[in-house]
Amino acid sequence: MIELYGIQKSFDGRMVIKDIDAVFETGRTNLIIGQSGSGKTVLLKCVVGLLEPDAGDILYDGRSLTSMNKRERVQLRTEMGMLFQGSALFDSMTIEENVQFPLSLFSSLSPLEQEKRAHYCLDRVGLSDSHKLFPAEISGGMQKRAAIARAIALNPKYLFCDEPNSGLDPLTSITIDELISDITKEFNMTTVINTHDMNSVLTMGENILFIYQGEKTWEGGHEALYHSDNERLNEFVFASTLMKRT
Amino acid sequence: MALFYHVGRYSLLMYKTFSVPQRWKLYFKQTWKEIEKLGADSLPITLLISVFIGAIMTMQTQMNTENPLLPRYTTGLVTRDTLLLEFCSSILSLILAGKVGSNIASEIGTMRITEQIDALDIMGVNSANYLILPKITGFVVFIPVLVVFSMFSGLVGGYGVSLFTDLITPANYIYGIQYWFIPWYVYYSLIKSVVFAFIISSVASYYGYYAYGGALDVGKASTNAVVNSSILILLFNLVLTKLLLT
Ligand SMILES: Nc1ncnc2c1ncn2[C@@H]1O[C@H](COP(=O)(O)OP(=O)(O)OP(=O)(O)O)[C@@H](O)[C@H]1O
Ligand SMILES: [Mg+2]
């Protein structure tokens, strides 16, 4: 379980995240939704500690992020996996080496076991025959999957995904969404996902946090999504013609 | 004000960079790669430029000192000392600032904007140490080799002029470059080049590491890296000359 208390963050005097509280529960897919530029990425980066929030605290199963020393943070990071908006695979390494990289640094596995584990993760995301290719040589959807494989290599307790299906076709995005949901259940992880894709919201939104211009504006499950009387949320949810018809 | 900001942030980055590598084996592997990429790959251009500058300097000096009262060693001596004192360290470093500096800044900058650096951080890797330290040590260790090669090829260039033109006889040239040779000049040059190599690699890393935005910003970062490291080289050239030669 991850708890957020009063998270604030500003850049050059401009408040990007305004006092957000939230609880992300274990074994569930927690979604952060909002328009482009609403501050989803910044919030997620504050949660994982890539950005220092100006105020507030984050508790990882009771452990406070802000009062951790360097060593405890490194330890916590080995329990985290993150999928970035642009995949962020290391382009000087092959797919296999990318997945093996965190293992070689932070696991006590022998090189052979590392390789086996990397192959297992790649099989899990359906990339069993692209091991030796470089990120530039595979498609965007495959890069996302490889990045998921890398994120789960160390068997993380916490999985963070920044727009896992941006730039993908609807079919591939559904595959990715399902993959993330399945993995979350399979390994009982605390998963937090940023998205502005309504499809994903409907298929995997168990707990949804809607942010508008850096403020938490609404929170709930996806069944409640349609019946809210929050104007901003309705604007967002019913923006696409597809949604209007249903 | 901006100067203080940059100096402060640069110092903090260097503090983060100069820590004990998490995995020595990985560090040596990376350093070896950088020696190849930043150092050895700069050898051809170093040789080419040095031969030509050596040749031209010999021609110019000879043509401008056609006074029978001047001793016969003049041209060789002037060429040699200019090469040893200034060209093979300062001017060569300025040229390498363009090649190596822009290479480093654009590589690290691209990693920054494609979130590869965030991906390293989230794994618990000290990204500054992992990415920057091998570049700095690799380049600093290899630049003396470049300087020595530059000295030799510069002198060879001058010798070529004495062989293929009738501006100066080979005997006079050889006599000149051996006349009143001061070994300290070589050390002075090597010391300077090591400092310059540190400036080039660390300043370029700094601009790349803090790039923010898109491809355009990576371009800006690498321009900034080249311009500012060149200015620093000129400045430190003055300081070091005062310290080491007077
Ligand atoms: N390092 C930074 N420096 C200055 N401003 C920043 C920085 N990072 C983000 N911002 C600003 O914070 C705001 C929120 O950005 P953020 O990337 O969180 O949006 P987002 O909700 O993830 O959008 P998208 O859906 O397009 O990814 C933007 O206005 C952006 O300009
Ligand atoms: Mg984003």
Side-chain angles (χ1 to χ4, degrees):
Chain A
M1 188 170 67
I2 303 171
E3 295 156 275
L4 276 57
Y5 293 108
I7 304 299
Q8 288 180 13
K9 178 76 191 170
S10 48
F11 290 107
D12 315 313
R14 196 165 58 90
M15 274 270 236
V16 175
I17 298 297
K18 298 167 192 156
D19 201 15
I20 291 190
D21 295 314
V23 175
F24 302 128
E25 279 179 51
T26 308
R28 302 183 79 181
T29 45
N30 301 278
L31 264 56
I32 301 172
I33 64 172
Q35 277 172 307
S36 191
S38 54
K40 301 184 296 293
T41 301
V42 173
L43 179 62
L44 201 65
K45 285 191 176 171
C46 286
V47 172
V48 298
L50 284 176
L51 289 173
E52 284 310 314
D54 299 335
D57 199 5
I58 298 135
L59 301 185
Y60 279 85
D61 291 312
R63 297 169 291 172
S64 152
L65 183 70
T66 46
S67 52
M68 275 182 193
N69 63 29
K70 236 164 127 190
R71 278 211 8 230
E72 290 168 322
R73 265 192 190 212
V74 172
Q75 169 59 30
L76 177 66
R77 286 190 166 174
T78 62
E79 300 170 15
M80 291 178 181
M82 184 156 179
L83 175 61
F84 288 88
Q85 202 160 347
S87 297
L89 294 169
F90 304 125
D91 36 34
S92 58
M93 300 181 194
T94 64
I95 299 305
E96 189 182 358
E97 286 165 348
N98 260 285
V99 180
Q100 227 170 304
F101 183 74
L103 294 167
S104 68
L105 284 171
F106 298 106
S107 75
S108 49
L109 301 177
S110 71
L112 201 71
E113 288 169 318
Q114 287 172 20
E115 204 180 311
K116 261 170 109 182
R117 171 77 191 156
H119 287 187
Y120 168 78
C121 294
L122 284 167
D123 286 347
R124 184 67 193 80
V125 299
L127 280 182
S128 19
D129 39 45
S130 326
H131 294 180
K132 301 282 178 231
L133 298 178
F134 284 91
E137 298 169 334
I138 61 177
S139 75
M142 289 159 90
Q143 288 177 6
K144 283 272 157 78
R145 281 190 275 166
I148 295 177
R150 185 178 67 183
I152 61 171
L154 283 171
N155 230 330
K157 281 158 85 177
Y158 314 100
L159 180 64
F160 303 93
C161 307
D162 195 2
E163 313 221 354
N165 40 31
S166 66
L168 299 181
D169 66 86
L171 267 179
T172 314
S173 22
I174 290 173
T175 327
I176 301 275
D177 287 347
E178 281 173 353
L179 188 61
I180 294 170
S181 294
D182 292 350
I183 288 170
T184 303
K185 300 283 178 285
E186 198 175 319
F187 303 108
N188 197 32
M189 295 192 280
T190 309
T191 301
V192 183
I193 304 159
N194 270 355
T195 187
H196 48 207
D197 183 290
M198 276 314 292
N199 235 325
S200 331
V201 176
L202 296 180
T203 45
M204 56 174 183
E206 293 181 289
N207 174 32
I208 300 166
L209 199 78
F210 174 67
I211 54 177
Y212 180 78
Q213 292 186 349
E215 248 171 306
K216 183 171 95 174
T217 313
W218 186 84
E219 192 176 17
H222 72 260
E223 309 82 13
L225 206 59
Y226 305 111
H227 314 299
S228 108
D229 45 14
N230 187 304
E231 233 174 273
R232 299 288 177 210
L233 179 66
N234 287 337
E235 229 173 58
F236 180 81
V237 171
F238 299 108
S240 97
T241 44
L242 202 78
M243 298 302 297
K244 273 178 194 145
R245 258 188 275 133
T246 50
Chain B
M1 232 20 240
L3 182 70
F4 286 117
Y5 173 73
H6 283 296
V7 170
R9 207 165 55 152
Y10 170 85
S11 312
L12 285 177
L13 181 66
M14 286 305 115
Y15 176 73
K16 234 180 108 186
T17 302
F18 285 90
S19 51
V20 180
Q22 281 158 308
R23 286 278 189 280
W24 282 103
K25 220 180 108 192
L26 193 62
Y27 166 73
F28 286 121
K29 203 179 110 195
Q30 296 290 103
T31 307
W32 187 248
K33 263 197 218 161
E34 299 301 343
I35 287 181
E36 243 179 77
K37 199 172 65 189
L38 303 177
D41 286 354
S42 300
L43 204 52
I45 182 126
T46 302
L47 295 181
L48 186 77
I49 293 173
S50 306
V51 168
F52 275 85
I53 295 291
I56 289 162
M57 217 180 279
T58 307
M59 287 164 78
Q60 302 264 18
T61 317
Q62 180 62 27
M63 289 190 294
N64 288 312
T65 53
E66 272 179 275
N67 185 332
L69 290 178
L70 286 170
R72 67 190 185 96
Y73 57 72
T74 309
T75 300
L77 180 135
V78 169
T79 304
R80 181 200 69 206
D81 281 354
T82 319
L83 282 173
L84 293 197
L85 288 171
E86 272 312 300
F87 177 78
C88 299
S89 52
S90 315
I91 307 297
L92 183 71
S93 294
L94 286 173
I95 293 164
L96 291 177
K99 181 181 183 290
V100 173
S102 63
N103 176 302
I104 293 178
S106 56
E107 183 185 323
I108 297 185
T110 305
M111 291 190 75
R112 165 61 75 194
I113 63 158
T114 56
E115 298 180 307
Q116 291 177 50
I117 293 182
D118 288 332
L120 285 170
D121 284 330
I122 201 78
M123 286 175 192
V125 177
N126 177 344
S127 55
N129 174 267
Y130 172 75
L131 291 174
I132 300 175
L133 191 60
K135 291 192 194 296
I136 294 180
T137 43
F139 193 47
V140 164
V141 163
F142 199 78
I143 203 160
V145 178
L146 291 177
V147 171
V148 169
F149 271 95
S150 169
M151 288 171 175
F152 270 105
S153 49
L155 292 175
V156 168
Y159 185 62
V161 168
S162 73
L163 280 184
F164 299 115
T165 70
D166 35 63
L167 282 170
I168 178 173
T169 62
N172 277 356
Y173 179 75
I174 297 291
Y175 176 67
I177 62 172
Q178 288 173 322
Y179 189 82
W180 206 323
F181 170 64
I182 303 172
W184 171 244
Y185 286 2
V186 176
Y187 300 122
Y188 156 79
S189 225
L190 291 174
I191 294 171
K192 283 205 303 185
S193 72
V194 165
V195 175
F196 298 157
F198 180 80
I199 292 174
I200 294 170
S201 48
S202 64
V203 169
S205 300
Y206 168 75
Y207 280 100
Y209 196 81
Y210 289 110
Y212 167 72
L216 222 59
D217 302 273
V218 173
K220 263 187 233 153
S222 85
T223 308
N224 279 337
V226 175
V227 171
N228 290 311
S229 54
S230 301
I231 293 172
L232 284 172
I233 286 173
L234 295 173
L235 207 74
F236 272 81
N237 193 16
L238 219 62
V239 174
L240 287 173
T241 304
K242 177 89 185 87
L243 285 178
L244 298 171
L245 277 192
T246 56

